[in-house]
Amino acid sequence: MARAKQDKQESHRTMQVVNHVRALIENGTLKPGDKIPPERDLARTLQISRASLRTGIGYLAALGVMKIKHGVGTFVADGPPDFGQDSLSFIGALHGFQSWQMFEARILLETGLAALAAERGKDEHFTLLAEEVAEIFASVDNPTEYLIHDVAFHRIIAQASGNPILAAIMEAIVSSMYDRRRKTVERSIDLRESAGMHREIYRAIRTRKPADARRLMEQHLRMAQEAQGLERPIGKHEKTVAPQ
Amino acid sequence: MARAKQDKQESHRTMQVVNHVRALIENGTLKPGDKIPPERDLARTLQISRASLRTGIGYLAALGVMKIKHGVGTFVADGPPDFGQDSLSFIGALHGFQSWQMFEARILLETGLAALAAERGKDEHFTLLAEEVAEIFASVDNPTEYLIHDVAFHRIIAQASGNPILAAIMEAIVSSMYDRRRKTVERSIDLRESAGMHREIYRAIRTRKPADARRLMEQHLRMAQEAQGLERPIGKHEKTVAPQ
DNA sequence: TACCTCAAGTGGTCAGACCACAGTATATAT
DNA sequence: ATATATACTGTGGTCTGACCACTTGAGGTA
């Protein structure tokens, strides 16, 4: 039974720091945006060397829990939940995740997100969505600009779903696909048609029709997928998701 | 437009190490399970101090890319993809993720996974699934044992889906819910009924009926959700997912 | 008032010593 | 000869204390 046992300690001191911070976060002492004490002070407080402390802080930074600013200080991450920038693309490269698999994951998540948004979205979300749709239509001749609003549109839907976990996961997947996507959009096809689909999705959400929202989102994404040639190969392999 | 700019460098040296390793992984020099050179050697190779090297290694370890074994060496992670152990539960605590949201994410993922498994599962998966179903039935009087096979069952379905990204995400979510779950199963209800549902799900997958598999899985999970009292509150708040 | 300089605060890096753990070789006892 | 105890080697873990690099803001200067 493979993962029965747990790796309890990633080396004593490091985990001591991690657990310390975790405790402070869980009991509410430390909240997003807060600044933690200077390394020298905190090290003295925890009775460990500054070097060890830094290892622990680095660990937390990698997880996206802490944000370090040279010459300024170290802070608890604020803003939207964030699995350390490229963690997904990193382990993706490691395990040979393939592009069509990424896209499949994205479709599964976003269709669900769209349905949830249709059920729970608030007026504020509808407003933002409408604005982005307008911007999208206004950018059909400017691929770079278009992509910005496209991303924003999907992000707002994730927000409107009321489920930050799913939103964060989607964010991670999308950002790990960003490089490739940008290229595609630049040599893109049919931004007008794509813009129309965004509007339809918006309408389905606004009128609270989860099933429609789901279906339209799936249709939209599958079309995008084809545009990038990332359909699932029938029985053979495909090149890995590796960037560049 | 919030996250326009990227934090390019998490301090020069650290990223130097991370990028070095990343390059080695992406060009195939380093593969899962491989051992990397001793810290002292590698530090000399990269022309940086051992302390800085260790910061980088620690970063990679946090991401789940490297596994460090005191007194033995440092290795590239093998086995199933793994977002550093508690990364999700950590940022969950930070952003106040709630249990029903976790469960909702799990349901969305696992229903999709079940459908995919029904479409693509191979005989080997069916065999393993059948074995676990048998074990599940054999454990209806032993909650602890039951949980083990329950987890295994769901994990095999994830495997059978053919999408390692989705499988890894599910794994992360489930493991971040583990503590709470174990308690529930121990004071549990109706393991026999639950066992029956597993069998039904298995049959739907085996006979390649994605829609049925999806529906049964959803039914199964919603029931488990209710058993834990984790339904989405109508309009109010609910206590955070904080452990203990 | 506008700009410049510089000092304080904070994270980043370095060097080298020593500690702790795991595995293996070797010595010793039976 | 076998088995147990011991020492050695390799590798990660920690410590100390000094110095470097970035940001900010106070205070001086034009």
Side-chain angles (χ1 to χ4, degrees), chain A residues 3 18 22 26 60 62-63 76 79-81 89-90 94-95 97 101 104 116 120 162-165 169 232 243, chain B residues 3 18 22 26 59 62-63 76 79-81 89-90 94-95 97 101 104 116 120 155 162-165 169 232 243:
Chain A
R3 21 173 105 200
V18 172
R22 178 175 197 127
E26 285 175 349
L60 292 168
L63 292 184
V76 178
S89 83
F90 214 126
L94 180 59
H95 292 85
F97 288 171
Q101 296 172 327
E104 184 171 87
L116 289 174
R120 306 177 190 159
N163 191 316
I165 296 108
I169 295 171
R232 177 169 174 252
Chain B
R3 22 172 106 201
V18 172
R22 177 173 197 131
E26 285 174 349
Y59 189 98
L63 293 184
V76 178
S89 82
F90 214 126
L94 180 59
H95 293 84
F97 288 170
Q101 296 171 329
E104 182 171 271
L116 289 175
R120 305 176 188 159
R155 191 171 283 155
N163 191 316
I165 296 111
I169 294 170
R232 176 169 174 252

Side-chain angles (χ1 to χ4, degrees), chain B residues 84-98:
Chain B
Q85 305 93 288
D86 20 47
S87 72
L88 209 173
S89 82
F90 214 126
I91 75 167
L94 180 59
H95 293 84
F97 288 170
Q98 298 177 315

Side-chain angles (χ1 to χ4, degrees), chain B residues 43-95:
Chain B
R44 191 158 1 91
T45 300
L46 297 183
Q47 304 255 304
I48 61 179
S49 73
R50 197 183 148 209
S52 293
L53 173 71
R54 280 178 58 71
T55 305
I57 300 295
Y59 189 98
L60 292 168
L63 293 184
V65 175
M66 306 284 289
K67 298 294 181 185
I68 307 174
K69 297 183 182 177
H70 189 176
V72 182
T74 302
F75 306 79
V76 178
D78 61 347
D82 170 22
F83 306 73
Q85 305 93 288
D86 20 47
S87 72
L88 209 173
S89 82
F90 214 126
I91 75 167
L94 180 59
H95 293 84

Side-chain angles (χ1 to χ4, degrees), chain A residues 69-156:
Chain A
K69 297 183 182 179
H70 189 175
V72 182
T74 302
F75 306 79
V76 178
D78 60 348
D82 171 19
F83 306 72
Q85 306 95 286
D86 20 48
S87 71
L88 209 173
S89 83
F90 214 126
I91 75 166
L94 180 59
H95 292 85
F97 288 171
Q98 298 176 314
S99 294
W100 68 264
Q101 296 172 327
M102 295 286 238
F103 224 109
E104 184 171 87
R106 188 184 167 199
I107 291 175
L108 175 59
L109 286 165
E110 292 220 43
T111 53
L113 247 14
L116 289 174
E119 289 175 11
R120 306 177 190 159
K122 296 180 171 44
D123 286 343
E124 47 186 293
H125 299 125
F126 298 155
T127 302
L128 291 172
L129 240 25
E131 288 176 12
E132 290 303 333
V133 170
E135 293 296 332
I136 284 174
F137 270 101
S139 311
V140 290
D141 294 316
N142 183 338
T144 303
E145 188 73 7
Y146 186 94
L147 179 55
I148 293 175
H149 296 296
D150 183 25
V151 170
F153 179 83
H154 290 271
R155 191 172 283 155
I156 293 167

